[in-house]
Amino acid sequence: MGRLVAVGLLGIALALLGERLLALRNRLKASREVESVDLPHCHLIKGIEAGSEDIDILPNGLAFFSVGLKFPGLHSFAPDKPGGILMMDLKEEKPRARELRISRGFDLASFNPHGISTFIDNDDTVYLFVVNHPEFKNTVEIFKFEEAENSLLHLKTVKHELLPSVNDITAVGPAHFYATNDHYFSDPFLKYLETYLNLHWANVVYYSPNEVKVVAEGFDSANGINISPDDNASSVLISNLISLYTATADAPSLVLELDTLVDNLSIDPSSGDIWVGCHPNGQKLFVYDPNNPPSSEVLRIQNILSEKPTVTTVYANNGSVLQGSSVASVYDGKLLIGTLYHRALYCEL
């Protein structure tokens, strides 16, 4: 009798594990392939060979790139090279990426940048906020951008118990920001378990020197975050969803479901359109096969506040040119597409 009970319990456990695995594959869009959507005037950006996970563009056309992200279980084309911040002037006739110098005293050897965001103060001081994973830990670094010297002055490192697994960030003041935690746990094994069990424990945190608090929660995997130019609404990307929150709401006013895994998002200040870097097949990101690499997809979402937002696939590639697109940003008819760990693309629209 005891053996029958043991076998029965084992069977139930295996059935549950199988169901969770199948559900995970479905969430990762593991069977999805993309049809190419090409843009005619594009080229790979020289100097970006191992990822440009996030991109942020100032109103004057200066674009910042977060490059060289490394993470447990994530492929890397330069595993021994520290990450960095690159800049490109999109007003130049032939823009090129240049690495920014970082002030002495900052630990460059362990620099592992992820999401980034800029903030321009009333006196025109430009601050760059960088999610950093030194030795796979979680911090937010605040820099002052010194344009004359093409450099970053490190001002502050932010650590907090409510920031255990930071993914992306949007700055709203010189020391104030919203950040997404893509997992509740910081331990890699517990993160995997959280994802496998689909616990929906990811959240969004508001940080200021005087107050730190969770402002939204219950997400599968909170990823990209951005805020509209008028500061009245913010968008959070969760798995294959975009959730739109107004400044004072506790619940989203809109949830847009997409047939892809959304990563970072950028907002075109001239139109309000949302540009999203996406992963059509998430399984390929984490089980890397050079003969069947992860694909790329860029979506443009227009009229996000209407009853029927328009979603357009602007670019799609099977990985032959660009692998694992994570962000798309536009400026004055130019499109920049970054990736999790591959190259970056410059296009003229």
Side-chain angles (χ1 to χ4, degrees):
M1 184 66 181
R3 291 181 180 179
L4 287 176
V5 172
V7 170
L9 291 175
L10 178 60
I12 293 172
L14 290 174
L16 289 174
L17 288 172
E19 186 275 332
R20 288 291 86 194
L21 181 60
L22 182 60
L24 178 60
R25 281 180 51 82
N26 289 336
R27 297 205 312 276
L28 290 175
K29 312 291 181 183
S31 300
R32 186 172 180 235
E33 302 291 343
V34 295
E35 295 184 6
S36 292
V37 177
D38 296 321
L39 291 171
H41 306 293
C42 296
H43 66 264
L44 293 169
I45 299 173
K46 186 177 180 180
I48 299 179
E49 313 288 341
S52 48
E53 201 279 339
D54 204 5
I55 300 169
D56 201 19
I57 306 175
L58 294 175
N60 64 1
L62 294 180
F64 296 90
F65 297 76
S66 163
V67 300
L69 176 66
K70 285 167 279 294
F71 232 67
L74 194 67
H75 182 73
S76 175
F77 287 101
D80 299 321
K81 183 180 179 180
I85 302 295
L86 274 59
M87 186 187 74
M88 175 182 281
D89 187 349
L90 296 177
K91 288 189 174 181
E92 292 180 351
E93 184 176 349
K94 294 182 178 181
R96 61 187 182 92
R98 307 173 178 88
E99 186 165 6
L100 295 177
R101 293 185 297 106
I102 298 179
S103 57
R104 292 182 179 180
F106 182 74
D107 185 2
L108 294 174
S110 67
F111 193 32
N112 192 11
H114 198 164
I116 60 174
S117 179
T118 56
F119 177 79
I120 304 175
D121 212 347
N122 294 330
D123 61 359
D124 293 328
T125 299
V126 176
Y127 298 93
L128 179 68
F129 292 65
V130 181
V131 175
N132 186 22
H133 303 293
E135 299 176 351
F136 304 132
K137 297 174 184 176
N138 291 270
T139 66
V140 172
E141 312 294 346
I142 303 177
F143 299 92
K144 176 184 175 183
F145 173 52
E146 298 184 322
E147 185 174 356
E149 286 113 20
N150 280 338
S151 65
L152 296 170
L153 176 64
H154 185 245
L155 301 177
K156 184 178 182 179
T157 296
V158 175
K159 301 178 183 179
H160 197 276
E161 60 182 8
L162 290 181
L163 299 171
S165 185
V166 190
N167 186 302
D168 197 20
I169 189 169
T170 186
V172 292
H176 311 67
F177 58 84
Y178 290 91
T180 57
N181 286 303
D182 52 24
H183 292 81
Y184 178 82
F185 297 108
S186 58
D187 178 80
F189 174 76
L190 293 177
K191 282 184 177 184
Y192 175 78
L193 195 62
E194 184 181 342
T195 300
Y196 187 80
L197 296 176
N198 195 22
L199 294 180
H200 289 255
W201 287 356
N203 59 29
V204 178
V205 171
Y206 171 73
Y207 176 92
S208 75
N210 300 319
E211 181 183 28
V212 185
K213 61 181 180 180
V214 174
V215 294
E217 57 189 345
F219 302 127
D220 175 6
S221 178
N223 200 323
I225 185 169
N226 213 323
I227 194 163
S228 64
D230 60 7
D231 294 343
N232 285 327
S234 61
S235 297
V236 186
L237 302 182
I238 307 98
S239 186
N240 63 327
L241 304 176
I242 292 181
S243 297
L244 185 71
Y245 288 78
T246 58
T248 58
D250 293 326
S253 58
L254 176 146
V255 177
L256 181 62
E257 185 168 359
L258 302 169
D259 187 30
T260 190
L261 299 181
V262 293
D263 203 319
N264 293 313
L265 79 165
S266 303
I267 299 176
D268 183 351
S270 64
S271 64
D273 295 348
I274 296 178
W275 291 74
V276 192
C278 304
H279 306 293
N281 185 323
Q283 179 169 291
K284 292 184 180 182
L285 278 178
F286 301 104
V287 185
Y288 185 77
D289 179 357
N291 297 315
N292 187 21
S295 48
S296 293
E297 187 174 36
V298 171
L299 302 181
R300 179 186 186 184
I301 304 172
Q302 298 169 282
N303 303 315
I304 187 69
L305 296 176
S306 68
E307 291 185 2
K308 293 184 178 181
T310 302
V311 181
T312 305
T313 301
V314 177
Y315 176 83
N317 180 262
N318 63 4
S320 60
V321 176
L322 205 64
Q323 302 176 13
S325 56
S326 56
V327 62
S329 296
V330 293
Y331 177 84
D332 193 25
K334 302 175 181 70
L335 169 65
L336 302 175
I337 306 174
T339 65
L340 199 58
Y341 46 68
H342 191 231
R343 307 291 301 276
L345 202 64
Y346 171 95
C347 301
E348 294 185 358
L349 299 173

